[in-house]
Amino acid sequence: MANRMSFVSVTALRAPGLEEILTPKERLLWSGRPGCGLKFFQAVGEERKLQVFILVALVALWATLPFIDADPEARFGRFKALFVYGIATLALLSFSAYLAAQRQFVLSNLIYYVTDSRVIICRFGRNWRLGTRLFVVSCEHSTTFPYEVLPTRPYPSLRVGTLLSEQQVQFLGFGLSHTGHPERFARGVEPIYLDYLANSEQLLAMIRSCAGDRKAANDV
């Protein structure tokens, strides 16, 4: 894992442009964006499970109301239950909205590029001075990195690198990770994904082919 981190770099650009991102000898092979999750009500991946859990919890909560004593003198009567249930409902709905907003915000600000030498993830965000920047995460192609196509829903995702949490690309949080991602596999470490792409397998084959070509050229 540590070796793979050495192939990952993060930079911030003031003036976003493809000519600022690619090197003169680099050849662009593919570009795209996450294939799903860019809309507020478009839950993806692990977020779907959380949203379903919240819905079930709300239904179960209010289903108990008819069984609560309607006597105004009761220690915990229906009037108090309405108050408590209302607060709980607002809290759960707020949490649900946060999950959706965080995922939408991250995914709608991502652009992906695959060149003959690396995978590039561009992320619009703000620095610590609240200035708008284009954060560029570069993952060089490798013949040894365990690339993985994850069966996320509704489209698979491709893991292309590993990033230390302290290298996250935005000061205010909301880096590359979002609520739709699978759980983190190590504390302080973030996997780098190309999210929800129908052509993940084809991209993986392209990356491995480029990595093999680079290795062969370096061995000559």
Side-chain angles (χ1 to χ4, degrees), residues 51-74:
Q51 298 289 11
V52 169
F53 173 80
I54 290 172
L55 177 61
V56 171
L58 286 173
V59 171
L61 181 69
W62 286 97
T64 64
L65 188 62
F67 302 99
I68 296 177
D69 195 343
D71 186 352
E73 302 298 326

Side-chain angles (χ1 to χ4, degrees), residues 24 66 77 86 103-104 118 131 140 149 151 166 173 175 189 202 213:
R103 176 259 309 152
Q104 180 194 26
R118 56 185 173 145
E140 294 184 19
V149 174
E166 63 190 30
V189 173
Q202 292 89 335
D213 291 343

Side-chain angles (χ1 to χ4, degrees), residues 7-21:
F7 294 108
V8 176
S9 63
V10 180
T11 58
L13 302 177
R14 288 173 176 264
L18 200 56
E19 65 279 1
E20 301 290 331
I21 299 171

Side-chain angles (χ1 to χ4, degrees), residues 65-165:
L65 188 62
F67 302 99
I68 296 177
D69 195 343
D71 186 352
E73 302 298 326
R75 186 172 184 179
F76 186 75
R78 194 165 296 176
F79 178 78
K80 290 182 180 179
L82 286 170
F83 179 74
V84 173
Y85 285 14
I87 293 176
T89 299
L90 286 175
L92 287 172
L93 290 178
S94 297
F95 181 60
S96 173
Y98 164 78
L99 295 176
Q102 195 257 19
R103 176 259 309 152
Q104 180 194 26
F105 183 78
V106 171
L107 291 180
S108 62
N109 282 286
L110 291 176
I111 303 174
Y112 303 138
Y113 298 103
V114 177
T115 74
D116 55 351
S117 60
R118 56 185 173 145
V119 176
I120 304 169
I121 300 177
C122 294
R123 164 78 160 77
F124 288 96
R126 295 185 181 275
N127 64 2
W128 65 275
R129 294 181 178 177
L130 301 184
T132 301
R133 296 289 184 271
L134 181 69
F135 295 92
V136 180
V137 180
S138 300
C139 303
E140 294 184 19
H141 299 327
S142 169
T143 56
T144 58
F145 181 72
Y147 294 101
E148 182 182 10
V149 174
L150 299 168
T152 51
R153 299 178 64 184
Y155 303 117
S157 299
L158 174 61
R159 184 161 67 95
V160 296
T162 300
L163 190 70
L164 290 174
S165 295

Side-chain angles (χ1 to χ4, degrees), residues 174-194:
F174 294 177
L176 297 179
S177 60
H178 56 83
T179 53
H181 273 171
E183 294 183 5
R184 300 173 185 178
F185 55 81
R187 186 174 183 181
V189 173
E190 298 284 350
I192 304 174
Y193 296 110
L194 300 184

